[in-house]
Amino acid sequence: MQPINATLCSPSDFMGWRSLSRDFLNRQVEANTIHWSIQEPDILYTPQSERILPNASSPLKIPRFFGRLMSAVFASSLPDRFDRLYRALEHIQTHGEPSTKDLQDFKQVAAEVRTQILALRNTFPENRILDWQIIRTDYPPQLIDSQIGPLGRLRTAPWILLSDARTLCWDGQDYRIGPALTDTPLSDADLVSHAQQTATATRANAHWHGLGTVHVTPTDHDTCQVQSLPALRSLAVDCSFCDLCHHATRTVFGEGSQEARLLFVGEQPGDQEDLQGRPFVGPAGQLFDRALQEAGGDRHEAWISNAVKHFKFVRKGNRRIHQKPGSAEVHACAPWVAAERRILSPKVTVMLGVTGASALLGRPVTVSRERSRLFTLEDGSIGLVTVHPSYLLRLPDDDAKTREYIKFVADLRMAISALA
């Protein structure tokens, strides 16, 4: 059989590789006749472009777990990864299942890629830092591009990612892709401007469709092993412990000081939290900030989190209406809060509302009966139950709101005094 040249538009061209591979498999083209190469077209970084690829249907049923391994191998630095992946498909076509050797090899490569992805995510600052952030990395472009979606969910505030092969710009809404910067201006402001001019390819450029996102699906075991809050946040991006992950925009992880001795645990993110990727930034969060300040506290010195990390809602027209999380969702999310408490080892934990209190105490809680008193938690630290600030917003009249707000501030003051 005559040699076949299979040309991809970039090292990240998963869609191109998949389309060509399906076509080759349908035509029963042998792996040893295919020469895989990369040739960047002139229109690779234009804002818009079309692309014609073979439209062959998939001749194979690939096990889902093996498909995930293949995505990770594609994002790896293996020089022969295109060929090895095609040979794996060829084996499935002949034998009906992946080979034992492919399984072993791909699992090892996927583990290495997973470690690299988490390390890349760890370099991204929290969303409370609102100005443009510049992240430099030396990871290969295919690994970087496999994380474009997750990185946008991880950090909603704007960022620029620079590598030897790629420039990525995220403006808080969407991303643009460009080649590596050849000139590096001295000031950060000039660098951001230069990067924005360089990264010109948008989602409308078909050469950047289907990049083969690699998800790092966490397990309970992972949450028990992580030793830092940034690493835990990086892992939580792909949380799928319950079905809420399929509807919410992103995981909303805790934020604050990594040296915090005071931990606040609420119920779940709301609409604004889900959009901004930060806990307690909506109307209830603004009321909480004001009350905490009046009590003598500082949000930046505490750690603010929720018992459930995804927004549960129902749609009503264009609005997303908050829904109380169920016990199954609270239980599924428990490893995240447990890991936050293990890493922080706070002296005082304030439970805001029924869900936050029940999640931490592991039993039904009546807030009106248990609020406004300090008690000892199982680990020997101090706990305090109070209302959730959203409760204050729902009160029917101004007098009731004033009375309850004063009590809420007093509860927060009690928790802060317990730190001494």
Side-chain angles (χ1 to χ4, degrees), residues 273 279-290 299 389 393:
E273 287 81 3
F280 283 81
V281 292
Q286 294 166 22
L287 188 149
F288 168 78
D289 287 349
R290 177 160 61 92
R299 177 182 176 122
L393 296 176

Side-chain angles (χ1 to χ4, degrees), residues 254-255 260-267 279-280 288-289 291-293 295-307 309 337 340-341 344 346 348-353 356-357 360 384 386-389 408-409 411-416 419:
E255 71 170 33
R261 296 191 302 150
L262 179 60
L263 167 65
F264 292 95
V265 179
E267 180 188 84
F280 283 81
F288 168 78
D289 287 349
L292 183 61
Q293 189 173 19
D298 185 341
R299 177 182 176 122
H300 298 296
E301 294 178 0
W303 187 262
I304 317 293
S305 192
N306 281 300
K309 306 301 188 191
V337 182
E340 286 175 299
R341 295 195 71 243
L344 278 170
V348 179
T349 299
V350 179
M351 291 152 269
L352 302 166
L360 262 69
L384 183 142
T386 187
V387 297
H388 193 282
F408 182 56
V409 172
D411 287 345
L412 300 185
R413 190 175 290 121
M414 182 185 300
I416 293 167
L419 291 174

